[in-house]
Amino acid sequence: MKLAAIETSTQTGSVALFEDGELVLEAEERASNAHGESIVAMLAALLGKAKWKAREVDRWAVGVGPGSFTGTRIGVSTVKGIAIASGADVAGVTAFDAVSDGIEIAPGEIAAVFLDAQRGEVFVQSTCIKEPIFAPISRIPAILASWHVERLVAIGAGAKLVDLSSFPGARIVADAPHDIPHARALAQIARTRTPTPVDLLEPLYVRPPDITAKKI
Amino acid sequence: MIVLGIETSCDETGAALVRDDGHVLADVVESQIASHAPFGGVVPEVASRDHVRNVGPVVRAALAEAGMKIDDVDAIAVTARPGLVGALLVGVQIAKGIALAAEKPLIGVDHLVGHLLAVFLRHPLTEARAVPEFPFVALLASGGHTAIYRVDGPDPSQCTELGATRDDAAGEAFDKVAKLLGLGYPGGPEIDRRALLGDPSRVKLRTPMPSSLEMSFSGLKSQVARWVEEQGALTEGAVNDACAAFQATATSTLADKLVRAARQENVTAVVLGGGVAANRELRQRVHDLAGKCGISAFVPPVACCTDNAAMIAYAGAMRLRRGETDGWNLNATSRTSLPRKTRKGRGAR
């Protein structure tokens, strides 16, 4: 099975191609313009190098965030377009799942994933909460304390932004590949995922839209 | 040649299939008005979120309406400018995805050029209409743009701005005046409806910049604001009178300048485009005034004036005819490719 993955929810965009569970090719690039100009060019170049046609890919994995709203929409919209034209399966993978992929959690440990939400805030997901949240970095110690966590595993580059001094035994896993979501992790997760109906594929925003009252 | 057009520049998600002779094979528009109405205007992030949700079903609905598969299409055209960048990017990226997987050319289209060429669209369910020949003078009036162009051909380099608004777009002024009068969003249709019930002579409004092809709608809106302040409590009748006076002043300004521009350019055809061209009084005034001056008025059906993807597909087909396509690095931008002559803001020129 041919599987391709696209990740655009942070400034580092990446693409990975897998065949029958093996990595064929991958590429990664930092882009300040939310990947609008670069990601499809990068994908097309990688497909060409692998001598694949986009319509031959059986499944497309895409990062759904949370992250940059515009960046995430770029990846999701690209994959929607491909799926409309080729009929391929799609699988949306959250940045929380991508960042924590492959990390073993020992009995008694509680994992929390922290992603940089910009503006002095982080996105947080943990088994201690039903839905992911976003909160100011300064409030995170109090939030963690309210969970009564004894052995914390803090995952993701956002963990480096948070003051974890009140959790002296915390295990921090914040370096690559567990810093930000990468296409390779998306592909590995998407291999065994039930496909997402293409019309239900949407970014996981977590943060509501900014709404400024219109001036008269 | 059949082109799939995609439009996501503002608050309408559109997809259409159009032949390069202008015949519309399918035209689907999903409006976001309900999403933005509580905020009294288009909220960019809300628009982008709605586009992501709507664009897939809208594209498939257009293909189904035309009874076609993506392989039957010759190219994918998409609005790449001007508009809300986040909203445009949704369409641009979905178009790239379709073009990549279907192995079709990708064509970025200037939304304003789409509006200027919408007069050439032929809908199967509407009566056959005459279409203008180049050159013509067109008024493009919408919520984001208001300008008069001389159009010598379908290429953006053949479109010359003759005058534009120095401040608010005409559609923006309709929305703002509606808000001042306590009416809902969007303001245009409600003002149009109430104008029929009111007496324009009961509210005195000055025509802004009467001697120029340039326009100003901010001052007109301020005149209504001052009138509202003077009234205190507004009766239904007073609101209707204000709607009638504002609409009469705004539409006569637009119609006068359009016809004056045609005479100045020695051109015998005028064309209307943009969402404000759906306004009943503007359509009538342009028709009447042009007729008096021996000028032919081409006023497209309302569905061709408001934002739609059929005009994008057609403008894309014209680019493809010229052998123009775009690469995967096609980006979205808030600026039009049409050169702007009118400087924004106050002051002498």
Side-chain angles (χ1 to χ4, degrees), chain A residues 33-41 43-44 47 53-55 60 69-70 73-86 198-199 201-203 205-216, chain B residues 39-46 48-49 52-57 59-60 63 70-71 85-86 89-103 172 175-177 179-180 221 328-331:
Chain A
N33 67 349
H35 314 290
E37 288 178 73
S38 56
I39 199 75
V40 177
L43 170 64
L47 289 168
K53 286 179 182 291
R55 59 169 45 178
W60 291 84
F69 294 163
T70 301
R73 274 193 291 269
I74 281 172
V76 166
S77 302
T78 305
V79 164
K80 275 185 185 240
I82 292 169
I84 287 169
S86 71
V198 68
D199 289 343
L201 181 68
E202 274 194 63
Y205 295 107
V206 180
R207 186 191 260 150
D210 287 331
I211 295 171
T212 315
K214 202 172 168 70
K215 281 193 294 183
I216 292 189
Chain B
F39 310 111
V42 177
V43 180
E45 177 61 23
V46 172
S48 301
R49 292 184 181 196
V52 170
R53 198 170 302 130
N54 297 339
V55 71
V59 168
R60 270 191 271 98
L63 287 166
I70 200 72
D71 287 337
V85 172
L89 275 168
V90 174
V92 167
Q93 291 306 121
I94 204 159
K96 285 182 193 175
I98 294 172
L100 178 73
E103 298 171 28
E172 193 180 355
D175 285 341
K176 287 178 174 177
V177 166
K179 204 166 180 179
L180 286 168
K221 171 208 71 190
W328 301 127
N329 63 348
L330 174 67
N331 205 3

Side-chain angles (χ1 to χ4, degrees), chain B residues 199-235:
Chain B
D199 177 356
S201 67
R202 291 204 185 126
V203 182
K204 299 286 176 223
L205 298 174
R206 274 180 299 104
T207 299
M209 302 183 68
S211 57
S212 162
L213 291 183
E214 294 189 359
M215 294 165 252
S216 164
F217 292 99
S218 177
L220 185 56
K221 171 208 71 190
S222 299
Q223 290 183 62
V224 177
R226 280 193 293 277
W227 177 85
V228 168
E229 272 176 27
E230 287 161 16
Q231 300 304 300
L234 287 174
T235 63

